[in-house]
Amino acid sequence: SIGGLEGTDGTFIPQVVIEGSGTTAAKMSPTLALFNSSTGADGDTLGSIMFMGGDSTTQPPTTPANASVYAGILAKITDETNSSNDGELHFLATKGNDNTNTAMSIVGSDVTITGTATVTGALIDLRASADTDSEIIFREGSTAKAMIFNDASTNSLSLSDGGGTLSSVVNINSSNVGIGIVPVASQKLQVKTASNINFTVSAVGSALRINSVNDAADTTAPLEMNAS
C-alpha cells in the first residue's frame, strides 16, 4: 500500500494498492518502478518521493503547489557506465525550511549520516570481511582527529590521535597494553617515553619487574628512578 487513511475505528485504509504474487528474486512482485527515460549522465536525478503537508500559512493545503515539503527520498546516478553502473539514494528531512537537507545518503555500499545518529539498544556490531581492518574515525570537517582501529593482521585494538596523522597512542594485543608502542608478547604493560626508549612492567612469580629497554640496541637495562 502507498498512502492511506485512518478509519474512525483506528483501522488503516489503503488509498493505493499494488498487487503481485512473485516470491523469488527473478519474479519480484509487487514492484513499483520509477523509470526515467532521459539520456543518463553521472549526477542525474532519477526520481523522488516527496512527503508534503500544510504549514502555519496554508491549512489545509489544497494543492501540492501551496504545500510544504517535510521529507523525501531521492535517487541519483553516480556512474552511468554500462556494466559498471553505480547509484545512490538520499533521504531528505526538512530542517530550517531547507527541504534539500540530506539526513542520510547511501552511495553504493557506503552510508553517510549527517547530524546525530541515535542507536537504541546495547550493541553496535561492526563487521568486516575476513582479514579486513575495521575502524571508527572521528573527524572535524574532512580532517581525521582520532580513531579506534582493529588491526586484523595482529588482532589488536588501537586508539589513535594526532590531528590528522592518526598516530597510535594505545595498543591492546592479547591482554598486553602498549602506550605509544605495540606491546611485545608477555609484556603486560609497555610504555614508550622517548624516540627509542621504553619501559615495561611485567610480573615474575609474585614479584613486579620494571625494565627500561633500548629499542635500537634491543637490550634490557635497569630502570633508574630519581626524585626531584
Side-chain angles (χ1 to χ4, degrees), residues 1-17:
S1 300
I2 303 176
L5 297 173
E6 185 176 331
T8 55
D9 59 353
T11 58
F12 186 78
I13 304 171
Q15 293 175 298
V16 179
V17 176

Side-chain angles (χ1 to χ4, degrees), residues 33-208:
L34 301 183
F35 171 57
N36 190 314
S37 60
S38 65
T39 301
D42 295 356
D44 277 2
T45 298
L46 293 173
S48 61
I49 299 174
M50 294 297 167
F51 302 89
M52 309 175 71
D55 56 29
S56 60
T57 301
T58 307
Q59 292 284 15
T62 54
T63 67
N66 63 11
S68 292
V69 176
Y70 287 96
I73 302 173
L74 177 72
K76 299 180 69 174
I77 297 175
T78 306
D79 182 2
E80 52 81 32
T81 304
N82 185 36
S83 76
S84 63
N85 312 75
D86 297 316
E88 53 196 78
L89 193 64
H90 302 274
F91 294 84
L92 313 179
T94 299
K95 181 178 181 180
N97 202 39
D98 178 10
N99 56 34
T100 65
N101 176 63
T102 303
M104 183 174 73
S105 296
I106 303 174
V107 181
S109 58
D110 298 326
V111 179
T112 300
I113 297 175
T114 303
T116 301
T118 300
V119 178
T120 302
L123 175 66
I124 299 178
D125 190 351
L126 300 181
R127 298 193 182 191
S129 56
D131 300 320
T132 302
D133 300 337
S134 56
E135 58 194 34
I136 299 174
I137 300 178
F138 303 89
R139 298 181 184 273
E140 292 180 10
S142 60
T143 303
K145 292 293 187 178
M147 177 173 67
I148 302 173
F149 173 73
N150 172 56
D151 188 340
S153 64
T154 59
N155 294 320
S156 64
L157 184 68
S158 298
L159 306 180
S160 304
D161 70 1
T165 60
L166 296 183
S167 302
S168 183
V169 176
V170 179
N171 297 276
I172 304 172
N173 187 345
S174 300
S175 300
N176 302 304
V177 178
I179 300 177
I181 192 172
V182 176
V184 177
S186 77
Q187 303 295 343
K188 292 302 180 184
L189 175 61
Q190 189 168 3
V191 181
K192 188 164 187 174
T193 58
S195 60
N196 66 339
I197 300 297
N198 62 82
F199 70 86
T200 64
V201 179
S202 58
V204 180
S206 59
L208 181 66

